[in-house]
Every structure is written in C-alpha cells, then in structure tokens.
C-alpha cells in the first residue's frame, strides 16, 4: 500500500517527446535565501549585495542573484526529470527574461524536446526546455538542458527518439530584458571594486581569476538542499558508496556558482548574467577538492537600443586542484585532466 503513495521518479523509458510536465512546489524566494547563497559561494557583485547601490542605478531594490534563480528553477524540475540521473550533461539557449526580487514566488514547467537512448541500453539522454515563472505568470528564465537518466528495464522499448538542434549562442538582440535601463553615471566603480567597464575588455583577452575555493561535503549538500534539488547522487552515501565513484557527486550547478563567484576577481563589474549559450560538465567534482577558474572574452557586443550597458561573451573554465595561471583548456581530443566545467555565457557591464 505504501508503494502506491511514494514516487521513485521517472526513468528514461517513461519520457515521451512533446510531454509537458508541470513541476511541484512553488518557492517564495527570500532575502534569507540570498544570504545563504552568499555564505556558500562568497559572491561580491555590488548590485546583488546592496539595496542602496542597486537603487542608485535604477533597480527598485537589490535583485536575487541570477544563478540562484537558475538553481531554484532547476531544482523544481529534478523530481520529475533527473531524480534517477547519472549526470547532468549540459545547457543551451538559456535566457534571463525578468529580474527576481525577494518576495517573488517561482514555479516551473518543462517540455520534453529530445530523447536518445545510449548504446549500452542502461541509460538515455533526455532533453528538456524548462521555464521558470513568477507569481504573476511572467517568464523569468527559459533554458534547455540535457541529462543522462537510468532505465528501469534495459530491455524496455523506447518511443520516438530525437536530438534537438540548439543555437550555438544567443544574439545580442535577445540580451538584457532582465536588466532595467541603468543610470551609468550613478554606477560607483570604487564601491563596485574596479574601474574596468565594458570598453576596457577585448575579444581574445584571457583572465586568470587567481583565487581558489575548497569544497566541503556539508557545503555542497546545503547548497543543493537550498534549491530543493532531490537528485539521489548528491545526498545518499549509503547508495553512492556502492556506485561508480564510491561517494556523493557534487551538483554541477554548485561548480557554476563557484566559478561565477571566483570570476569577480577580474570581472568585477559584470553584474548581470544575461544568458548562458552553452555549458558542459567535463568531469565530476568531489568534496575536498579546490576549484579554480579562468575566463576568455569571446566577444564584445552592443545591445540594440541600450546606451547604458554592453555585453561581453565570456567562456569560463573551472578546474579542480589546479591553479589557472597557464589557462588549462582543451587538450588533443579532450580536455586537460583538471578541467571540470566549460561555460559560455553573456554578461552585462556598464558603459
């Protein structure tokens, strides 16, 4: 009788192309969530740190960190999409569409847009487009991710398969709806922490973010619980101790937030993540290892109709137990063994 009331989550053969999933548990985001997020990652961007700073440049108050919004929306999708995941593989076509403030309530819906069974018949890759919306029904975030999910029965027949075509990058026309027109003259570079703004960066420039952060077991579990992400691989040492790695796997989004926080040293005034073009979790991360990061400026773009901010397309590489002064990157057919994340995204900076 109990089995009829509990859920073991969806396995790969349970998904169908075109399936629409409305995810459970709306979440009201509070300033306490923002404080805990800061405690976990140490992000120091002034707009997200100070109501006074944010209001001076045109926000009604300090917005919730863009990646905290991403993680909360992501967390809503986990019980239905990736409870039985082996690993989250990547992201694309991610756009932040509206700012989120303390007191806003977020919910999520996902469309299954792709399915591809793996040759081992043990797993398959599920592609979903997920949307987060606020209490007014406004879409605040729209993104695609793909995740490797276990099959319940390796012999189970799979319905129609499809690998979706996704854009390599969002255009500059799509950037900026989540950022109000700011008063650039009121943007205090001294209080922000650096004089370097949009015009001071050039395509091809590489920046070593210098600092490193060691991940503790309790930290990554607290973070994942903060997002109400229930994926088994992050919490259950009893089961994961008998698995492939013998220990709990750190949520890939935890690495993204660590890399973003580390990028402050070099990209101080990149106050808003406008879009994520693509991302790949190259290798797993485990507690006790230290994360470092470096970034390359891929492009610098004007946003049509905006004279207040410009966009930088940034590629950030995160590594484990390896400082990045020599910019470890792809090597041969793969990556330097220390690389764990390769993230391509747009940020906004004041002009």
């Amino acid at each position: 009788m109990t089995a009829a009331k509990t859920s073991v989550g969806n396995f790969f053969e349970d998904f169908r192309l075109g399936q629409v999933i409305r995810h459970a548990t709306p979440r009201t985001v509070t300033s306490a969530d923002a404080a805990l997020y800061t405690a976990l990652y140490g992000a120091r961007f002034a707009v997200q740190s100070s109501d006074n700073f944010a209001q001076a440049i045109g926000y009604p108050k300090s917005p919730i960190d863009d990646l905290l919004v991403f993680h909360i929306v992501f967390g809503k999708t986990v019980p239905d999409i990736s409870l039985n995941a082996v690993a989250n593989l990547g992201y694309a076509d991610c756009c932040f569409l509206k700012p989120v403030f303390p007191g806003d309530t977020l919910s999520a819906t996902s469309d299954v847009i792709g399915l591809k069974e793996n040759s081992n018949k043990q797993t398959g890759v599920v592609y979903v487009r997920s949307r987060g919306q606020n209490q007014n029904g406004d879409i605040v975030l729209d993104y695609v991710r793909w995740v490797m999910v276990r099959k319940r029965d390796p012999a189970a027949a799979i319905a129609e398969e499809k690998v979706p075509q996704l854009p390599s990058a969002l255009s500059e026309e799509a950037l900026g709806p989540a950022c109000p027109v700011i008063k650039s003259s009121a943007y205090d570079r001294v209080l922000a922490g650096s004089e370097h703004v949009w015009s001071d960066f050039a395509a091809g420039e590489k920046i070593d973010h210098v600092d490193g952060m060691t991940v503790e077991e309790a930290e990554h579990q607290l973070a994942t619980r903060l997002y109400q992400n229930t994926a088994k691989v992050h919490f259950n040492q009893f089961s994961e101790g008998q698995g492939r790695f013998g220990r709990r796997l750190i949520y890939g989004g935890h690495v993204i937030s660590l890399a973003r926080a580390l990028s402050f040293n070099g990209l101080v005034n990149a106050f808003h993540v406008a879009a994520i073009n693509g991302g790949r979790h190259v290798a797993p991360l485990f507690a006790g290892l230290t994360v470092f990061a470096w970034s390359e400026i891929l492009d610098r773009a004007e946003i049509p109709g905006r004279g207040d901010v410009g966009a930088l397309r940034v590629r950030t590489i995160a590594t484990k137990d390896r400082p990045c002064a020599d910019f470890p990157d792809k090597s041969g057919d793969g990556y330097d063994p220390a690389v764990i994340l390769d993230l391509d995204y747009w940020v906004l900076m004041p002009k």
Side-chain angles (χ1 to χ4, degrees):
M1 292 178 67
T2 301
K5 294 184 173 68
T6 58
S7 172
V8 295
N10 289 316
F11 292 85
F12 180 72
E13 62 264 39
D14 297 324
F15 294 99
R16 297 291 183 272
L17 287 175
Q19 183 178 0
V20 179
I21 303 172
R22 190 179 178 202
H23 303 294
T25 319
R27 174 75 176 273
T28 300
V29 189
T30 70
S31 55
D33 296 318
L36 180 53
Y37 186 85
T38 301
L40 289 165
Y41 304 108
R44 291 179 283 158
F45 296 96
V47 172
Q48 288 77 22
S49 297
S50 166
D51 278 344
N52 290 339
F53 192 101
Q55 289 166 348
I57 65 171
Y59 283 87
K61 56 184 172 180
S62 185
I64 295 295
D65 191 285
D66 304 300
L67 291 181
L68 177 53
V69 173
F70 177 86
H71 295 319
I72 288 174
V73 173
F74 184 107
K76 302 296 96 191
T77 73
V78 169
D80 300 307
I81 304 298
S82 47
L83 189 64
N84 295 302
V86 176
N88 195 56
L89 300 178
Y91 316 90
D93 201 18
C94 171
C95 195
F96 293 86
L97 300 171
K98 196 172 183 67
V100 175
F101 299 98
D104 285 343
T105 297
L106 303 181
S107 58
T109 304
S110 294
D111 299 344
V112 179
I113 62 171
L115 295 169
K116 185 69 175 72
E117 185 178 26
N118 289 328
S119 58
N120 62 12
K121 304 295 183 181
Q122 303 291 319
T123 58
V125 179
V126 181
Y127 297 79
V128 294
R129 177 174 291 280
S130 298
R131 297 178 180 89
Q133 65 180 36
N134 64 18
Q135 67 277 8
N136 300 317
D138 300 320
I139 304 298
V140 302
L141 174 67
D142 185 324
Y143 71 98
V144 173
R145 72 165 169 133
W146 49 104
V147 56
M148 188 185 302
V149 179
R150 293 181 178 88
K151 290 182 70 177
R152 179 188 294 106
D153 176 7
I158 301 304
E160 181 185 2
E161 294 183 280
K162 176 185 177 181
V163 176
Q165 295 295 312
L166 299 169
S168 59
L170 283 92
S171 67
E172 48 266 38
E173 288 81 9
L175 306 178
C179 176
V181 175
I182 71 166
K183 301 171 187 173
S184 298
S185 60
Y187 190 98
D188 190 326
R189 301 185 197 183
V190 174
L191 288 181
S194 173
E195 289 292 323
H196 300 300
V197 289
W198 180 75
S199 58
D200 297 316
F201 293 83
E205 183 176 352
K206 293 183 178 181
I207 303 166
D208 174 18
H209 299 304
V210 181
D211 307 302
M213 277 196 264
T214 302
V215 183
E216 304 297 344
E217 203 78 79
E219 290 173 339
H220 81 86
Q221 291 180 87
L222 276 171
T224 315
R225 292 190 187 105
L226 174 65
Y227 317 135
Q228 296 177 325
N229 180 334
T230 56
K232 300 173 183 177
V233 294
H234 306 315
F235 303 114
N236 191 334
Q237 183 59 35
F238 178 78
S239 63
E240 294 310 305
Q242 304 167 59
R244 175 184 173 192
F245 298 113
R247 59 189 306 192
R248 287 159 287 191
L249 181 68
I250 290 175
Y251 163 51
H254 194 70
V255 180
I256 293 175
S257 284
L258 286 170
R260 166 70 173 159
L262 290 168
S263 77
F264 179 86
N265 190 357
L267 292 169
V268 167
N269 291 314
F271 69 90
H272 172 50
V273 177
I276 298 174
N277 298 309
R280 180 181 177 190
H281 295 296
V282 177
L285 179 69
F286 301 99
L289 300 177
T290 300
V291 175
F292 296 87
W294 68 274
S295 293
E296 179 182 6
I297 307 303
L298 299 179
D299 195 9
R300 193 180 72 179
E302 298 269 5
I303 301 175
R306 299 287 297 258
D308 56 332
V309 293
L312 293 180
R313 184 177 176 185
V314 180
R315 176 177 176 244
T316 294
I317 300 292
T319 62
K320 55 186 177 183
D321 280 358
R322 189 187 191 300
C324 295
D326 60 345
F327 309 112
D329 199 349
K330 292 183 177 178
S331 178
D333 294 331
Y335 285 82
D336 182 289
V339 172
I340 54 177
L341 173 72
D342 188 342
L343 190 69
D344 176 345
Y345 57 109
W346 287 102
V347 295
L348 301 191
M349 271 193 179
K351 287 187 174 179

